[in-house]
């Protein structure tokens, strides 16, 4: 079983975001970059699968600048076996379509049984990449998975829906995207962190992938950002302190709901 | 703008609320709006969709597209794009449709913008506004010339037409042939939890959400009563779903869902940045919390400092009394 874990380097949700006024990209280095939270559940699931599957190998896949190396090492510190890092100035500013195209190109000559990834990244949250990656590779995608069972090359998953779940089945190789209900991620161990420093990271550029730089990045993406700006700050609202009975707070809140035409 | 195609979802021929909002968004931009609907009963939506402005309804009513296996939908959506001649596709930005649109976009060379809250037409085409970085920033995006534009519409960002008096849409059945490749995902079972008549969280106009301050799983009965009193949905913070007090699909925040209802009422939720990243673009925010320094009050339009176990029951009584 060969498992690929695509991971993303994203600005910390709590960080101030700095935007380049010229090209509207976010200065990720000034935004406390971290490993995308939802990818941690994918890594955990891959580790659990590997623990019960003889000869399993897990490879991280990350597209990003040189500095994304820290994200790759973080992923490796959980105990993954190796990593592919795609670093090329030309991929900066890629949209979801271009990102999926580059990730797929990196896997064109890589054997895999399972690609497992977070269902969304916390920065753009488009949720597009798992299905787009699967489409490029010509394989099925089981998305929003909260429970995964594997029998040979048959994958059976509980797929979260707004109202409950579906039980779905497909034959691998395939893409699985996971939601956080799937497991409880472990923390990297000291041993894992030290071992990660020694693991091989296969760094490739677009030439190595055979991707035309004109089809990706800021200028090659099919979507373009025209403008980007902080959301206007909200005016401070009214706060009422209840008297301990609930009545004062409830009446004030109900008055406000009437004022706002909710009631 | 030339023809726009609107992807609609329906329950046995009754269009869902968000689909009608998508039609309203399409109609504001184009004179000719086509709709496409899948699964048994799709044609029954023709009257309602026509009333809301669609001239033609493209249908593929094969049972293969009853639930979301993605493959058959993607093929049928491509056929609808061809049949309508549309250069722009608008769709409700929900997860399953996102999968379908993602696949179709790769096949068609289209550009995709998700979660649009506003649409305008500029000299160089359609410009969509969306929130990014958990609502910290707003970006304006467009699809470059030479590509079809697929734009996901965020629930409740547009109002459905209130003068829904158009003629029924002409129904046109799509010629779609499915291959074994398209049927690689098998749906073995569909399980829905009991949620009474509550709307789905991501499309609800009102959400009552609960967090750690509820104290236990039973506390959510209070939030469910508040939601039902207001005709809203139930949301939860990550602390509450991690504790197993409420199902994960109701989690609002960085690692869960992003919601932007007309009204969000949070009870016993402190409002950590990870939670705010999922709800801070709500139109109105109310909060009930014992801690006057809880960060949720910094973004709340109306806050009550108090014990939710006292305030929420009293609020339910107040709402019921005033609704009589």
């Amino acid at each position: 079983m060969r498992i690929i874990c695509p991971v993303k380097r994203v600005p910390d949700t709590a960080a101030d975001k700095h935007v380049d006024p010229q090209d509207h990209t976010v200065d990720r280095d000034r935004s406390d970059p971290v490993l995308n939270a939802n990818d941690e559940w994918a890594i955990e699931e891959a580790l659990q699968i590997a623990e019960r599957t003889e000869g399993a190998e897990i490879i991280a896949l990350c597209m990003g600048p040189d500095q994304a190396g820290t994200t790759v090492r973080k992923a490796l510190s959980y105990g993954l076996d190796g990593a592919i890092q795609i670093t090329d100035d030309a991929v900066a500013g890629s949209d979801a379509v271009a990102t999926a195209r580059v990730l797929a190109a990196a896997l064109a000559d890589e054997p895999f049984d399972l690609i497992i990834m977070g269902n969304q990244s916390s920065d753009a949250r488009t949720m597009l990449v798992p299905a787009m990656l699967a489409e490029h590779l010509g394989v099925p995608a089981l998305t929003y998975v909260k429970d995964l069972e594997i029998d040979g090359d048959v994958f059976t998953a509980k797929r979260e829906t707004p109202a409950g779940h579906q039980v779905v089945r497909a034959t691998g190789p395939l893409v699985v995207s996971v939601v956080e209900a799937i497991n409880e991620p472990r923390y990297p161990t000291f041993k894992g962190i030290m071992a990660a420093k020694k693991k091989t990271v296969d760094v490739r550029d677009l030439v190595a992938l055979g991707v035309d730089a004109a089809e990706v990045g800021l200028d090659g993406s099919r979507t373009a950002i025209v403008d980007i700006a902080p959301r206007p700050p909200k005016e401070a609202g009214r706060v009422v302190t209840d008297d301990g009975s609930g009545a004062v707070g409830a009446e004030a809140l109900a008055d406000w709901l009437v004022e706002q035409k909710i009631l | 703008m030339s023809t726009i195609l609107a992807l609609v979802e329906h329950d046995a021929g009754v269009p869902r609320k968000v689909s009608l909002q998508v039609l309203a968004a399409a109609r504001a931009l184009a004179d000719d709006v086509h709709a496409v609907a899948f699964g048994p009963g799709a044609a029954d939506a023709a009257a309602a969709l026509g009333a809301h402005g669609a001239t033609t309804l493209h249908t593929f009513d094969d049972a293969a597209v009853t639930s979301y296996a993605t493959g058959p939908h993607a093929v049928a959506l491509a056929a609808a794009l061809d049949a309508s001649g549309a250069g722009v596709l608008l769709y409700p930005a929900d997860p399953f449709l996102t999968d379908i649109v993602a696949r179709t976009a790769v096949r068609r060379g289209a550009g995709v913008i998700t979660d649009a809250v506003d649409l305008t037409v500029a000299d160089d085409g359609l410009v969509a506004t969306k929130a990014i970085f958990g609502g910290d920033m707003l970006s304006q995006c467009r699809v470059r010339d030479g590509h079809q534009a697929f734009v996901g519409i965020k629930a409740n960002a547009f109002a459905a037409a209130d003068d829904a008096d158009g003629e029924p849409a002409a129904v046109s059945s799509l010629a779609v042939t499915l291959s074994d490749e398209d049927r690689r995902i098998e749906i073995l079972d569909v399980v829905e939890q009991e949620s009474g008549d509550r709307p789905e969280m991501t499309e609800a106009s009102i959400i009552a959400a609960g967090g750690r301050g509820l104290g236990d799983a039973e506390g959510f009965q209070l939030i469910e009563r508040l939601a039902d009193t207001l005709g809203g949905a139930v949301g939860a913070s990550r602390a509450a779903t991690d504790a197993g007090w409420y199902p994960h699909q109701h989690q609002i925040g960085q690692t869960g869902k992003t919601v932007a209802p007309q009204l969000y009422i949070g009870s016993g939720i402190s409002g950590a940045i990870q939670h705010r990243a999922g709800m801070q673009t709500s139109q109105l925010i109310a909060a009930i919390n014992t801690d006057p320094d809880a960060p949720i009050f910094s973004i709340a339009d109306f806050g009550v400092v108090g014990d939710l176990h006292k305030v929420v029951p009293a609020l339910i009584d107040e709402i019921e009394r005033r609704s009589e």
Side-chain angles (χ1 to χ4, degrees), chain A residues 135 143 180 221 226 231 255, chain B residues 99 107 135 140 144 251 255:
Chain A
E135 179 68 23
T143 50
E180 65 179 305
S221 288
V226 181
R231 204 163 49 88
D255 285 345
Chain B
D99 275 5
R107 286 177 203 184
Q140 295 194 305
R144 288 209 164 90
Q251 193 226 310
T255 56

Side-chain angles (χ1 to χ4, degrees), chain A residues 13 120 125 135 139 143 159-160 163 165-167 169 180 221-222 224 226-227 229 231 238 240 242 255, chain B residues 67-68 99 103 107 110 135 138 140 142 144 186 188-189 191 193 248 251 254-256 303 305 322:
Chain A
T13 299
Q120 60 183 343
R125 300 188 78 153
E135 179 68 23
V139 300
T143 50
R159 188 183 191 214
E160 193 176 89
H165 69 264
Q166 295 176 331
V167 182
R169 184 165 66 194
E180 65 179 305
S221 288
R222 295 173 194 163
V226 181
D227 196 12
R231 204 163 49 88
R238 256 183 284 161
V240 168
D242 186 59
D255 285 345
Chain B
S67 196
Y68 289 100
D99 275 5
R103 289 232 176 220
R107 286 177 203 184
L138 287 175
Q140 295 194 305
R142 67 179 180 84
R144 288 209 164 90
E186 200 183 342
L188 305 177
D189 198 8
V191 179
Q193 70 184 85
H248 171 261
Q251 193 226 310
Q254 180 197 309
T255 56
V305 177
R322 293 178 196 224

Side-chain angles (χ1 to χ4, degrees), chain A residues 7-92:
Chain A
V7 295
K8 190 175 184 189
R9 180 174 179 263
V10 296
D12 190 286
T13 299
D16 289 333
K17 315 299 186 302
H18 301 273
V19 176
D20 183 321
Q22 297 301 312
D23 68 6
H24 309 304
T25 60
V26 169
D27 186 340
R28 283 160 195 270
D29 294 322
R30 289 172 67 199
S31 308
D32 301 343
V34 293
L35 172 64
N36 178 49
N38 290 46
D39 298 343
E40 293 180 25
W41 287 278
I43 290 171
E44 176 63 32
E45 195 64 17
L47 290 168
Q48 290 186 16
I49 293 165
E51 280 161 6
R52 57 176 194 258
T53 312
E54 206 173 317
E57 183 188 26
I58 311 170
I59 304 295
L61 171 63
C62 184
M63 183 181 101
D66 281 340
Q67 298 90 320
T70 56
T71 305
V72 171
R73 296 287 168 196
K74 171 77 194 253
L76 286 170
S77 72
Y78 288 94
L80 309 198
D81 300 292
I84 302 166
Q85 181 180 334
I86 305 149
T87 291
D88 194 310
D89 290 344
V91 301

